[in-house]
Amino acid sequence: MHEENSPGARAREPVLDTVDRVSELCFGLFMALTFVGTVSAATGGEAAGRKMLYTALGCNLAWGLADAVMYLVRTIADRARRHALALAIQRERDAAAGVRALRDRLSATLDPFISDDDLESIRKRIAASASLPERARFVRDDFLAALGIFIIIVLSTFPVAAPFVLVKHVPTALLISRVLTLAMLFCCGFALGRYAGWRGWKAGLAMTTLGVLLTMAIIVLGG
């Protein structure tokens, strides 16, 4: 029997959770919105729509690449930190010092619920582990997650900027772009709300409002 079919096996987690996906999609929308938020109804020209799409797409390509790379940097830094803690515990002969090291890394919100006996049990398992690698390394899912971040940010450009290519009348294209963006922000908020256990429609409205206000602030600040 395969290990994943055993009663104690955990289901394989997605490389990006709901918060990651929603956050990156919103980030891409906000970046694209900065290029269409100042479009005037008087703006014209046959190539204006394509120019706007290419500009917004170029921006999100660059930011998608940067965000993906920084995700990898953050991931390996966090993994290296945990690896260093595990090595320190294995090398520490004083059990009390090992427990203190674990306690220092424990989240403050969990601290009241985990006793020193619980941490000692964890310390013993880490100290006895023979499978600890020599150093922290990337795994395949890290690169898949980074690729997912890049793709999400790039794809978020099209609902915002594509109407200016498909619809020649700029005011109509601007209206379609805004409606699509608001709909996507609502869906993002709805998904995030369901994930967090909140009421989906309230979270959707809150995300839509936040997105509008944040985009206005970005434009005002020259973003």
Side-chain angles (χ1 to χ4, degrees):
M1 181 180 294
H2 295 291
E3 184 180 352
E4 58 268 26
N5 294 328
S6 61
R10 296 177 60 180
R12 187 176 185 274
E13 296 181 357
V15 294
L16 288 174
D17 63 20
T18 301
V19 176
D20 290 328
R21 293 194 296 269
V22 169
S23 299
E24 297 301 337
L25 180 56
C26 288
F27 176 72
L29 286 173
F30 296 150
M31 292 303 300
L33 278 170
T34 60
F35 290 92
V36 301
T38 56
V39 174
S40 168
T43 302
E46 194 171 317
R50 291 186 180 276
K51 183 177 181 181
M52 180 173 296
L53 174 61
Y54 295 152
T55 303
L57 183 59
C59 173
N60 275 7
L61 281 169
W63 278 109
L65 178 61
D67 213 21
V69 171
M70 290 311 300
Y71 170 84
L72 292 175
V73 172
R74 184 173 67 251
T75 296
I76 196 63
D78 289 342
R79 189 168 297 149
R81 187 169 183 260
R82 294 192 297 269
H83 183 265
L85 174 61
L87 281 179
I89 290 174
Q90 284 193 339
R91 294 167 181 168
E92 179 59 65
R93 296 181 179 274
D94 184 359
V99 169
R100 285 196 300 271
L102 286 172
R103 177 72 66 185
D104 290 341
R105 297 290 179 88
L106 193 64
S107 171
T109 56
L110 295 177
D111 194 62
F113 306 104
I114 300 180
S115 66
D116 284 351
D117 289 340
D118 296 327
L119 294 177
E120 171 60 14
S121 177
I122 296 173
R123 186 203 66 80
K124 285 181 178 178
R125 289 197 295 272
I126 295 175
S129 175
S131 60
L132 192 65
E134 293 182 4
R135 63 181 182 274
R137 294 186 177 90
F138 287 114
V139 297
R140 185 194 62 172
D141 281 357
D142 298 333
F143 298 102
L144 291 178
L147 178 62
I149 288 172
F150 177 78
I151 291 173
I152 288 172
I153 291 179
V154 171
L155 291 181
S156 67
T157 308
F158 293 96
V160 180
F164 293 91
V165 176
L166 301 176
V167 179
K168 299 301 182 183
H169 188 241
V170 174
T172 303
L174 182 59
L175 176 62
I176 295 173
S177 173
R178 286 173 175 170
V179 170
L180 288 176
T181 301
L182 291 176
M184 290 187 67
L185 286 172
F186 179 86
C187 291
C188 287
F190 187 89
L192 193 60
R194 294 291 296 272
Y195 176 82
W198 304 327
R199 291 189 177 182
W201 68 270
K202 285 187 175 181
L205 290 176
M207 179 65 78
T208 303
T209 303
L210 177 63
V212 171
L213 294 176
L214 185 57
T215 302
M216 292 172 60
I218 291 173
I219 293 172
V220 169
L221 292 172

